[in-house]
Amino acid sequence: MSTFCRADPLTIIADNVLEDTLLELPEGDSVPEPSRYNAWMYQNAIIMDGLRALGDVLDNEHYKAYKDQSIDVFAQLQSMKLGNRKSVFSKMNRHYRNPKEMWHCGMIAALAERHQTNPTQEFERGMKTFDTFLEKAPKFDNGALVRDKRRSQLGLGLQIDDLYMITPYWCRKAALLKDPTWIDRAIDEALIYFDYLWDEESQLMYCLWLEDTQKPYGHFWGRGSGWYIMAVVDMLPFIPEDHPKREELLKDYRSFIEGIIVHQGDDGLWHQVIDRPDSYSEASCSGMFTYCILKGVNEGWLDQSFLTAGKMGWDGLLTKVNDKNEIIDVCMATDISDDINYYLNRPRKVHDQHGIGPFLLAGAEYMKVEKN
């Protein structure tokens, strides 16, 4: 298959995101309805990073500018109080105005990053809101931030996807404030996650650790594990080469990648429940794992022998693009359960944002491989 054919769905999907996002406000009082890509959603943070990565590899200025334009418009819309509109935009933005769960934090990193080059009162106010929320969040005795899952009668739990919701922010906060202690905190959080959730026998990560039972809970859910490794990959470029804990984090990263490759299907993809081949091959976790493998090779964190798995992953991802250039078989927003049927019967969505961002990131890294 030619490089052009491999890249074609990638640029079409990227162009569609660009076209569907409100990236500039017109003059006057009439403002178009923001799209789902403008809403405060952690999935949109990955799409922003995916467009930028693709812009870098293709030298496409529109893709490169997407993240800054998108977060600037978000701040402008907040100051205009358009969050009061009854729409998807306003519904999701309640998490920005009044965060209550760790997953509400998933875009705050974009504010901290943009504040370095385009400081605004709205960015500052938003970061203050989330700093206050995180300071008050429940913690284990070792300081790790955790979820209060008492509504599910589970007590306090360390939940795997929360690492992505907080450490990208801390890394960018370290750069913004020129304060490396936030890097140290991010690393310590990631190391704690691995210590609690890694299962030596299966070489996979559980998705929840419960304080009350002092043991893991649930199954090896694909996207849950994807959030963990996405957080680690996001973190590594911020960590100085001589940092005393960098090698320990890299060791955890490599252990995870080696374990996940064992469970890669013949089609290059990974399953909704990673160790259950009777579950469907799921697009979002497959994009995450493919990206994190190819990124590791391109950055030199993994040797060239891992390229085979990364390329297989990309070829597999292309089979998840339908004839309308939409990504299929994306698991909808999902919690943690010990009932395997909860995952096996979880509805699949078409072109959900959970699948778009990882696809863009994986494609950008694949194109870097092709260029090299």
Side-chain angles (χ1 to χ4, degrees):
M1 190 180 292
S2 71
T3 302
F4 174 79
C5 290
R6 290 176 186 271
D8 194 40
L10 185 62
T11 54
I12 292 173
I13 289 172
D15 288 343
N16 288 340
V17 171
L18 215 65
E19 182 179 341
D20 290 345
T21 308
L22 182 61
L23 295 174
E24 186 178 4
L25 296 184
E27 295 182 4
D29 297 329
S30 178
V31 178
E33 182 69 30
S35 81
R36 62 175 181 155
Y37 298 115
N38 291 108
W40 184 263
M41 302 168 69
Y42 56 84
Q43 305 95 308
N44 285 339
I46 306 184
I47 292 174
M48 290 177 184
D49 289 337
L51 261 294
R52 178 177 285 176
L54 194 57
D56 288 341
V57 73
L58 293 175
D59 197 23
N60 182 308
E61 296 301 327
H62 296 293
Y63 296 167
K64 289 181 186 179
Y66 177 85
K67 185 174 186 178
D68 289 345
Q69 290 176 325
S70 181
I71 204 66
D72 285 349
V73 165
F74 178 86
Q76 292 167 22
L77 291 171
Q78 292 305 309
S79 65
M80 298 170 68
K81 302 191 183 302
L82 291 190
N84 295 326
R85 285 184 175 180
K86 292 183 179 180
S87 64
V88 171
F89 182 70
S90 62
K91 181 180 178 182
M92 294 307 303
N93 289 348
R94 73 184 188 276
H95 300 152
Y96 172 72
R97 298 188 297 271
N98 186 26
K100 295 182 182 295
E101 302 284 355
M102 215 79 71
W103 60 273
H104 297 171
C105 304
M107 266 180 68
I108 192 65
L111 267 65
E113 181 179 301
R114 184 59 171 151
H115 196 61
Q116 294 181 61
T117 55
N118 185 42
T120 71
Q121 287 185 336
E122 186 59 40
F123 293 156
E124 193 167 333
R125 191 195 68 78
M127 287 186 290
K128 186 176 181 180
T129 296
F130 282 88
D131 284 339
T132 301
F133 165 72
L134 292 173
E135 286 169 10
K136 296 179 179 179
K139 301 174 181 64
F140 281 168
D141 290 341
N142 58 16
L145 300 185
V146 295
R147 289 199 196 193
D148 184 346
K149 301 186 74 70
R150 283 176 289 194
R151 283 181 295 179
S152 304
Q153 299 181 328
L154 296 175
L156 295 183
L158 184 80
Q159 188 160 316
I160 193 167
D161 45 339
D162 286 339
L163 190 69
Y164 181 84
M165 308 303 162
I166 51 178
T167 54
Y169 173 51
W170 285 345
C171 289
R172 287 156 182 81
K173 186 175 180 179
L176 174 66
L177 302 178
K178 296 181 172 54
D179 181 357
T181 59
W182 289 102
I183 293 287
D184 297 337
R185 186 170 182 184
I187 295 171
D188 288 343
E189 198 84 3
L191 295 176
I192 288 170
Y193 271 64
F194 190 85
D195 289 344
Y196 274 82
L197 300 174
W198 178 250
D199 180 61
E200 190 65 37
E201 182 178 352
S202 66
Q203 301 288 289
L204 294 171
M205 300 278 282
Y206 282 102
C207 291
L208 186 64
W209 173 276
L210 296 177
E211 183 180 57
D212 289 350
T213 61
Q214 289 291 293
K215 62 182 182 181
Y217 173 92
H219 298 275
F220 301 118
W221 175 44
R223 191 163 68 230
S225 291
W227 288 123
Y228 163 80
I229 201 63
M230 289 282 288
V232 172
V233 165
D234 179 90
M235 196 185 311
L236 282 168
F238 289 90
I239 303 173
E241 294 286 340
D242 60 353
H243 192 286
K245 293 185 178 179
R246 180 180 171 87
E247 282 306 313
E248 186 178 357
L249 187 63
L250 274 169
K251 181 181 177 183
D252 289 352
Y253 162 77
R254 291 173 182 135
S255 294
F256 179 97
I257 295 297
E258 289 169 358
I260 210 71
I261 286 175
V262 171
H263 296 274
Q264 186 176 24
D266 292 339
D267 59 358
L269 301 171
W270 285 266
H271 294 275
Q272 162 77 337
V273 181
I274 300 171
D275 62 338
R276 289 288 298 261
D278 55 326
S279 63
Y280 67 93
S281 56
E282 199 275 329
S284 66
C285 74
S286 295
M288 290 171 165
F289 299 149
T290 298
Y291 163 67
C292 292
I293 292 168
L294 292 174
K295 176 77 170 177
V297 173
N298 285 328
E299 295 292 334
W301 307 329
L302 300 172
D303 65 47
Q304 294 290 312
S305 66
F306 288 86
L307 262 183
T308 299
K311 289 183 174 182
M312 281 180 58
W314 180 244
D315 285 341
L317 282 172
L318 290 175
T319 69
K320 294 295 185 182
V321 181
N322 65 19
D323 57 4
K324 297 179 181 178
N325 288 295
E326 299 167 326
I327 300 168
I328 63 171
D329 291 337
V330 182
C331 176
M332 68 178 296
T334 297
D335 201 353
I336 308 301
S337 175
D338 64 348
D339 179 4
I340 190 66
N341 290 312
Y342 173 76
Y343 297 105
L344 298 181
N345 299 326
R346 199 71 178 148
R348 301 181 228 183
K349 301 187 77 174
V350 175
H351 220 50
D352 183 83
Q353 285 130 293
H354 286 94
I356 297 172
F359 182 83
L360 295 174
L361 285 168
E365 291 304 318
Y366 177 82
M367 294 189 75
K368 287 181 186 177
V369 168
E370 291 282 276
K371 282 192 170 186
N372 292 332

